Amino acid sequence: TLPPSAPARLKRRLDLATVALVWERLWPALWPSVILVGVFVTLALFDVPTRLPVWAHWLLLAISLVLLTLAVLDGLRRFSWPSRDDARRRLEIASRLKHRPLTAIEDKLAGGSDDPAAAALWRAHQERMAAAARQLRVGAPEAGLLRRDPFALRVALALLLLIGAIDAGDDWAARLVRAFTPEAAHNVVPQVSLDIWVTPPDYTGLPPQFLPASGKQMIYVPIGSALLAQVHGGRNPPRLRLPTMA
């Protein structure tokens, strides 16, 4: 425990320094895992897995899972929980303190404790170190991603994720589910909708007319009208078939 002469906030600063060290060590260790997850989520938002054959979809899912497991295990193997000495040293470096004052605060006089002069000098030394420790700063955590990602690929990945989310729209959750369920994704019958507009020629003075895709009612179209048909959904491009006239 800290001696009574140590400032009360020293323990809080040590706890904050420990949290900062955990972040600085854990984030780089798990950085490859984050990249793998980001790449797979990006592909899912663009609905790429469902455009693959079922076996290729399963292969993509299996490879992604294996790589993610290896990356997480390797990251946890390289991660080490910071010790109290590590937290003290980080505070001293961030605060630009010299002569290791935090260590001196918690040190005990090894010899000469019966000598009043030596004890007085030791108390004076601890008081000076405690005064220096009052200027403690934890500093902002630094993940060091610039060294591990000098080409800023993380920015490109974040941009692709944003574009994928915009492209998916309200369908983003369904696309993520389909990316993790190959069989179900390929067994889903895609919904197809058809919109048709007929724009009569200018000489008729008639406005464009929207035609329902269902029904077999007879319609009359002036000669020279323009037909616009839009197909939404489906996996294959639409084809137009015209009946042959006898």
Side-chain angles (χ1 to χ4, degrees):
T1 59
L2 296 175
S5 59
R9 58 185 175 182
L10 176 56
K11 186 179 184 303
R12 293 195 300 271
R13 290 292 187 270
L14 287 172
D15 293 338
L16 291 176
T18 300
V19 172
L21 284 172
V22 169
W23 169 259
E24 292 174 348
R25 296 182 181 185
L26 186 61
W27 178 244
L30 296 181
W31 173 243
S33 307
V34 175
I35 289 293
L36 290 172
V37 172
V39 170
F40 187 84
V41 171
T42 300
L43 294 176
L45 289 176
F46 283 107
D47 216 15
V48 172
T50 59
R51 294 185 174 92
L52 301 174
V54 179
W55 66 267
H57 192 166
W58 275 112
L59 183 62
L60 173 63
L61 193 61
I63 292 176
S64 301
L65 182 60
V66 170
L67 292 178
L68 179 60
T69 302
L70 294 176
V72 171
L73 292 178
D74 181 68
L76 294 179
R77 179 183 58 83
R78 292 187 289 112
F79 172 77
S80 60
W81 192 267
S83 64
R84 187 180 182 84
D85 290 336
D86 295 333
R88 279 199 300 260
R89 189 58 185 152
R90 191 191 189 285
L91 281 178
E92 292 169 344
I93 293 176
S95 304
R96 299 181 180 180
L97 299 178
K98 298 180 180 180
H99 310 301
R100 308 292 298 271
L102 300 184
T103 303
I105 290 175
E106 296 184 301
D107 282 345
K108 295 182 180 180
L109 188 60
S113 57
D114 296 333
D115 185 355
L121 288 175
W122 178 250
R123 285 195 300 271
H125 173 67
Q126 281 197 316
E127 289 174 359
R128 287 196 301 271
M129 294 299 99
R134 293 191 184 98
Q135 307 300 323
L136 293 177
R137 291 188 301 109
V138 178
E142 297 180 0
L145 291 181
L146 185 60
R147 297 190 303 270
R148 296 170 175 82
D149 184 20
F151 299 104
L153 296 179
R154 62 190 183 278
V155 179
L157 180 59
L159 182 60
L160 287 175
L161 280 170
L162 177 60
I163 297 175
I166 295 175
D167 178 74
D170 295 336
D171 194 41
W172 66 270
R175 293 188 180 187
L176 290 178
V177 172
R178 290 197 295 267
F180 288 96
T181 54
E183 291 292 343
H186 290 271
N187 290 332
V188 174
V189 178
Q191 296 183 353
V192 180
S193 61
L194 175 64
D195 297 329
I196 304 175
W197 288 270
V198 173
T199 303
D202 294 337
Y203 73 86
T204 62
L206 298 174
Q209 183 180 3
F210 176 77
L211 304 181
S214 60
K216 298 181 179 180
Q217 66 272 25
M218 182 71 67
I219 60 173
Y220 296 93
V221 178
I223 297 176
S225 298
L227 177 69
L228 175 63
Q230 292 184 343
V231 179
H232 305 276
R235 295 195 178 102
N236 301 318
R239 291 184 297 175
L240 176 63
R241 293 182 179 179
L242 297 177
T244 57
M245 302 299 294

